[in-house]
Amino acid sequence: NKNIMSIFLARRSESGLLEVPVPFSNELMTTVHEGPVTFDRTADNIYFTRNNYSKGQRRKAKDGIVKLQIFTAERVGESWNNIKPLPLNDKESNTCHPAISVEGDVLYFSSNRPGGHGGMDIWMSRRLGDEWGEPVNLGPEVNTEGEEVFPFIHADGDLFFASNTHVGFGGLDIFKTKKIGDSWTKPENLE
């Protein structure tokens, strides 16, 4: 019942050095894992990874593990409110590492849900009005039988992610791909 990973903020001093980190938000802090995070371009909405948690209770999947989920919250003044899990979460699988497009209409994330290519895959969901559409796997050009995690979508459409299976130096190398039409370019190792 201790915080495993929480969201912290470190401001820069006048000299440019990072100051001592402080909790980002008391409203977002629980006794379970929180982070990584992404913000929409106005910084009024946050999307973050958290263990499946509701009304102060951890929610275990059928295998007895508390899976990772993506939550969202809205900034109201100086606090974060309306904290809720996204409906695209799968309570029996991990859904984590959100990255929102600059337009706020596509959410990229990692998941080991059924329908993938192996361990963790990169998925996306399109915003349809106020709702999120069914998650779509980015396919075999991006995903492998290994782990593809920590997506980041740049404003120019380049998608960056870590993989332990695409050809690289080992461990979690960083790769870049771009969507062309309905497919993604061959991931390029950033070496």
Side-chain angles (χ1 to χ4, degrees):
N1 291 323
K2 292 184 179 180
N3 295 59
I4 298 167
M5 184 180 288
S6 297
I7 305 166
F8 279 78
L9 167 71
R11 297 193 186 280
R12 290 204 181 270
S13 67
E14 288 182 18
S15 65
L17 298 175
L18 289 174
E19 296 177 348
V20 174
V22 295
F24 174 74
S25 163
N26 289 331
E27 298 89 8
L28 300 182
M29 190 173 285
T30 64
T31 60
V32 297
H33 170 91
E34 279 120 7
V37 306
T38 189
F39 296 89
D40 68 2
R41 69 176 161 193
T42 65
D44 288 330
N45 294 284
I46 186 172
Y47 301 86
F48 61 99
T49 300
R50 174 188 275 174
N51 286 108
N52 193 353
Y53 183 83
S54 177
K55 298 178 183 173
Q57 299 293 315
R58 294 171 175 90
R59 304 288 183 212
K60 292 182 180 178
K62 290 177 186 170
D63 64 6
I65 297 173
V66 181
K67 304 294 184 180
L68 298 173
Q69 308 284 280
I70 298 175
F71 284 72
T72 186
E74 300 170 6
R75 184 199 321 255
V76 178
E78 294 297 314
S79 64
W80 292 92
N81 296 310
N82 198 20
I83 303 166
K84 60 185 176 186
L86 291 181
L88 56 82
N89 290 317
D90 175 352
K91 66 181 180 180
E92 300 302 323
S93 304
N94 289 306
T95 304
C96 51
H97 312 152
I100 191 82
S101 66
V102 70
E103 298 85 9
D105 61 344
V106 180
L107 185 71
Y108 296 87
F109 58 93
S110 297
S111 182
N112 61 351
R113 65 186 56 224
H117 295 272
M120 297 289 282
D121 281 3
I122 307 294
W123 296 72
M124 62 172 274
S125 176
R126 291 194 179 281
R127 185 190 302 269
L128 308 166
D130 291 336
E131 301 294 322
W132 290 99
E134 273 300 308
V136 174
N137 187 286
L138 295 195
E141 193 63 54
V142 172
N143 295 307
T144 68
E145 67 278 0
E147 310 291 334
E148 281 71 46
V149 291
F150 303 111
F152 171 79
I153 188 71
H154 191 273
D156 68 6
D158 287 346
L159 177 69
F160 298 84
F161 64 96
S163 174
N164 67 357
T165 308
H166 282 286
V167 177
F169 296 104
L172 286 173
D173 286 12
I174 299 174
F175 292 84
K176 177 177 85 168
T177 183
K178 189 173 195 83
K179 190 168 187 177
I180 306 292
D182 290 334
S183 61
W184 294 87
T185 61
K186 180 177 176 160
E188 170 191 350
N189 189 308
L190 298 187
E191 300 182 38

